[in-house]
Amino acid sequence: MKIEEAVIQVGTLKDSTEAPLIMGNFVANEGLSIFVILVWLGINAFLFVHFYMAFLVDRWFYTRVLLGQALSWARAPAACLNFNCMLILLPVCRNLLSILRGTIQCCSRTAARQLDRNLTFHKLVAYMIAFHTAVHIIAHLFNFEFFMDAQLNRNSSHLPFILSEIGTGDNASFLNPIRSNETSPTIVMFTTIAGLTGVAITLALILIITSSMEVIRRSYFEVFWYTHHLFVIFFIGLVFHGYGRIVRGQTPVSLQTNKPNVCANRFEDWGKNESNCAVPEFAGNPPGTWKWVLGPMILYVCERLVRIYRSHQKVVITKVVMHPSKTLELQMKKKGFSMEVGQYVFIQCPSVSRLEWHPFTLTSAPEEDYFSAHIRIVGDWTQALYEACGGDKPEQQDAWKLPKVAIDGPFGTASEDVFRYEVVMLVGAGIGVTPFASILKSVWYKHIQNNQDVFTKKIYFYWLCPETQAFEWFADLLQSLERQMADKDMADFLSYNIYLTRWKDTEAAHFRVHHEAENDPITGLKQKTLYGKPNWDNEFTNIASNHPRSKVGVFLCGPPQLGKSLEKQCLSHSEADVKFIFNKENF
């Protein structure tokens, strides 16, 4: 799911200032994110250039005689890989991010919102790892060809061959890892630490990235889940990849007795007393990847230990509700559990799978004495959970027969900030309406309890669904809110618009006769269902005119395409003193 937040501050717009205002709000909303990305890209660029140049010094002169520029092209991306592999685990340490979000939010809400984009950054880092891995592999393929060519061209007047022969006797100070012209790069690849770990790392990375494609992740979540755990093999291989020290340079001591710029052209006299050029000695750099990744690996292990601890805390399913359109509602209790609106949890059901944890938005309000999640049955895991809870049986399931579940969380999202705005616009698409169930319930509880801390005065709610079946489980909540707010004379507090997006007005003509009735024939609400897609331009214009000089928080839970459309509308309807703040989270 994706949650996006935009803030519009409505004022007076003048045509001459529209462009600067739009740009200013874009910078205000995206400025910090862009700054973080630029810093990250800058560090990558610096590391690449720095390590590229580092292998152009005298110590690596003789190595470059064999390999040419391919040496630097292999080592520079390796440094960038270390840096990005250090970062890749941090965005998925959910408990660490929750602590940081709560701490930073006291100082800067804008900075705290950046943590809600953790998975976006995780993906960017993964793409960068894939890119540098490809460059590193290609460069090393050339390197091994050059190593092999130096052995095959057995010409004693040829410096690469002389360098390849160094260390043949005791094998202590060799430069060319291919020790014989009868050896092939393939044999070296599968008989050395660097070769074996390199193959393992590459295969793990290919499987992780390909299984992370959205079509696979949504349709075959188990494939995505299990292959993602190949990261364990990836990191083990990464740490040990450099222990073979295949890429070697001249030792500091050897540089004193064999200066490459002087002795390279006198290699026939190496080792002779009158030449002042000793036979060069070579050694590889000690492995250093562990220094980059040890800290994040320890943090991630701690993260998993916390999850294991939580998974053993008792969770009681107090009620199971089978809603129409195959939506399962679980109402649960757990000692010490505390939540805020819009948060989500990870649910594990050991009887279905001991390894899989799936994220679900909480649909209960913090004021309720239980927490709940609505689960749409769309895959193997959810279908198995549905059956374990008795969803396929006509009779009510006994409490003692219900499956055990484990809960990790709750974790924060952008919608925690919903009550910070005087006017709120909630947009949900399909099952993406679940975060707003929690928000609407909580708003109602706060009002009936006369909570003076409620800053929100008006909520505009939009729900977009493709078919009528999707309305069935949530319409009950809206009907209840509609009745209760009418009784409290608060009918104007909540305005809601429900759209059947796959229906057109012509297709819904047979419902027209019912529109004179008090309640809508599809949802049972007083507000009539609309057909087609919303005219967002009109909606934003009306809200701006109804709430001059107000702060409007726009929250979206839906597909990226809808997010782009709303973002564009936010920019185009900006007015004086406007600022935009977008939060995005995928889980």
Side-chain angles (χ1 to χ4, degrees):
M1 294 183 189
K2 173 181 261 189
I3 295 180
E4 300 186 7
E5 178 188 355
V7 179
I8 311 172
Q9 198 167 8
V10 182
T12 304
L13 177 64
K14 297 181 180 179
D15 293 339
S16 60
T17 60
E18 182 176 1
L21 284 172
I22 291 176
M23 180 58 69
N25 284 284
F26 176 79
V27 172
N29 176 68
E30 302 290 347
L32 186 56
S33 294
I34 293 172
F35 174 76
V36 171
I37 296 301
L38 288 176
V39 169
W40 170 64
L41 291 173
I43 294 174
N44 274 279
F46 168 78
L47 288 172
F48 192 95
V49 173
H50 175 76
F51 279 88
Y52 188 97
M53 301 300 293
F55 285 85
L56 298 180
V57 298
D58 285 349
R59 184 194 171 192
W60 303 97
F61 179 90
Y62 290 126
T63 315
R64 294 197 306 276
V65 169
L66 292 180
L67 306 179
Q69 296 297 316
L71 171 65
S72 290
W73 279 101
R75 301 312 302 160
C80 295
L81 278 171
N82 288 338
F83 171 64
N84 286 284
C85 290
M86 176 186 73
L87 297 177
I88 192 71
L89 290 177
L90 297 179
V92 291
C93 291
R94 296 190 294 266
N95 292 288
L96 173 64
L97 293 180
S98 293
I99 295 171
L100 290 176
R101 195 179 195 278
T103 304
I104 296 174
Q105 198 163 22
C106 301
C107 307
S108 171
R109 287 172 54 200
T110 303
R113 287 189 184 96
Q114 307 313 306
L115 297 176
D116 295 328
R117 305 185 179 191
N118 59 319
L119 293 187
T120 300
F121 186 66
H122 177 73
K123 293 174 185 177
L124 288 175
V125 174
Y127 296 147
M128 187 66 80
I129 288 174
F131 170 75
H132 286 298
T133 299
V135 176
H136 183 73
I137 290 173
I138 292 171
H140 269 318
L141 289 176
F142 279 102
N143 287 338
F144 273 97
E145 284 300 319
F146 294 145
F147 279 136
M148 195 69 219
D149 289 344
Q151 281 287 5
L152 292 175
N153 189 5
R154 305 187 69 80
N155 187 343
S156 59
S157 63
H158 194 50
L159 179 57
F161 173 70
I162 299 300
L163 291 170
S164 298
E165 288 295 291
I166 294 175
T168 301
D170 55 13
N171 204 34
S173 182
F174 65 87
L175 177 60
N176 190 337
I178 298 180
R179 306 307 304 143
S180 167
N181 60 353
E182 297 178 357
T183 305
S184 69
T186 303
I187 294 175
V188 174
M189 184 180 299
F190 290 100
T191 57
T192 62
I193 295 176
L196 288 171
T197 56
V199 170
I201 290 170
T202 304
L203 291 177
L205 186 62
I206 291 172
L207 290 172
I208 289 171
I209 291 179
T210 53
S211 66
S212 299
M213 296 171 62
E214 187 170 358
V215 63
I216 294 177
R217 193 175 69 251
R218 293 192 177 277
S219 302
Y220 306 98
F221 185 85
E222 291 81 3
V223 175
F224 160 76
W225 179 262
Y226 287 119
T227 55
H228 236 61
H229 283 76
L230 291 173
F231 82 92
V232 176
I233 294 176
F234 178 87
F235 274 92
I236 292 174
L238 191 70
V239 169
F240 288 99
H241 185 58
Y243 272 82
R245 304 191 187 191
I246 282 183
V247 178
R248 297 186 165 210
Q250 202 171 353
T251 64
V253 174
S254 178
L255 281 170
Q256 303 299 317
T257 60
N258 186 305
K259 295 180 172 56
N261 56 343
V262 174
C263 299
N265 295 325
R266 300 161 56 186
F267 60 89
E268 297 93 343
D269 299 325
W270 283 355
K272 297 178 181 178
N273 293 331
E274 65 276 7
S275 69
N276 294 322
C277 291
V279 176
E281 296 182 357
F282 302 95
N285 286 332
T289 299
W290 66 271
K291 298 176 183 177
W292 292 83
V293 300
L294 181 62
M297 288 173 69
I298 291 174
L299 285 174
Y300 189 77
V301 168
C302 293
E303 171 83 13
R304 296 307 291 256
L305 290 175
V306 170
R307 294 185 198 178
I308 292 172
Y309 170 73
R310 284 179 171 173
S311 69
H312 286 84
Q313 291 181 312
K314 186 177 181 181
V315 178
V316 178
I317 299 177
T318 58
K319 188 176 183 181
V320 176
V321 182
M322 304 299 174
H323 292 282
S325 65
K326 294 200 78 173
T327 299
L328 173 69
E329 179 185 357
L330 295 181
Q331 296 183 8
M332 298 163 282
K333 289 186 177 182
K334 178 181 177 181
K335 185 177 180 180
F337 188 89
S338 177
M339 62 164 288
E340 297 294 335
V341 295
Q343 291 186 323
Y344 67 97
V345 295
F346 279 78
I347 299 179
Q348 179 210 44
C349 182
S351 63
V352 175
S353 172
R354 290 189 174 275
L355 297 177
E356 293 184 46
W357 292 78
H358 292 258
F360 296 98
T361 305
L362 292 171
T363 52
S364 53
E367 292 81 2
E368 293 176 310
D369 61 353
Y370 64 89
F371 62 96
S372 65
H374 284 69
I375 302 169
R376 187 176 58 173
I377 313 306
V378 292
D380 295 340
W381 187 89
T382 52
Q383 179 64 37
L385 179 65
Y386 181 77
E387 294 172 359
C389 293
D392 57 340
K393 298 180 178 65
E395 68 276 3
Q396 187 77 19
Q397 188 88 321
D398 293 331
W400 61 273
K401 292 183 179 180
L402 292 174
K404 292 183 178 180
V405 294
I407 299 294
D408 185 23
F411 303 104
T413 67
S415 55
E416 287 185 49
D417 297 332
V418 68
F419 296 131
R420 297 177 181 269
Y421 303 107
E422 186 176 357
V423 181
V424 175
M425 185 176 175
L426 308 176
V427 183
I431 197 68
V433 76
T434 48
F436 305 139
S438 175
I439 292 170
L440 294 175
K441 285 182 183 179
S442 185
V443 167
W444 169 246
Y445 279 116
K446 291 180 188 298
H447 277 284
I448 62 175
Q449 294 170 4
N450 295 317
N451 191 327
Q452 301 301 315
D453 295 332
V454 180
F455 183 63
T456 305
K457 306 301 181 187
K458 177 69 176 180
I459 292 179
Y460 292 90
F461 175 59
Y462 298 83
W463 190 12
L464 286 60
C465 283
E467 299 293 345
T468 57
Q469 290 85 355
F471 290 133
E472 293 168 332
W473 75 268
F474 197 70
D476 292 341
L477 171 61
L478 289 179
Q479 289 174 19
S480 176
L481 288 173
E482 189 177 62
R483 289 193 303 269
Q484 293 170 341
M485 289 188 177
D487 293 342
K488 289 280 187 177
D489 197 23
M490 293 172 54
D492 292 335
F493 174 76
L494 174 64
S495 296
Y496 51 90
N497 296 279
I498 299 177
Y499 290 83
L500 272 173
T501 56
R502 291 183 183 171
W503 287 37
K504 306 298 181 185
D505 283 336
T506 53
E507 297 171 343
H510 63 285
F511 280 106
R512 298 288 186 187
V513 294
H514 298 285
H515 271 222
E516 297 301 323
E518 182 179 359
N519 294 335
D520 183 79
I522 297 177
T523 63
L525 297 166
K526 294 185 182 300
Q527 175 67 39
K528 301 299 188 292
T529 298
L530 303 171
Y531 305 100
K533 296 181 180 179
N535 186 327
W536 291 116
D537 186 63
N538 290 343
E539 297 297 330
F540 274 79
T541 300
N542 292 335
I543 291 175
S545 61
N546 291 338
H547 304 280
R549 301 191 180 280
S550 294
K551 214 175 215 183
V552 180
V554 181
F555 295 82
L556 166 69
C557 189
Q561 296 85 351
L562 181 57
K564 292 177 181 178
S565 176
L566 289 179
E567 181 177 352
K568 188 179 295 184
Q569 290 296 329
C570 289
L571 289 172
S572 63
H573 287 82
S574 320
E575 300 192 4
D577 301 324
V578 76
K579 84 177 169 180
F580 298 89
I581 303 172
F582 291 90
N583 280 351
K584 302 178 183 179
E585 181 168 353
N586 298 283
F587 57 88

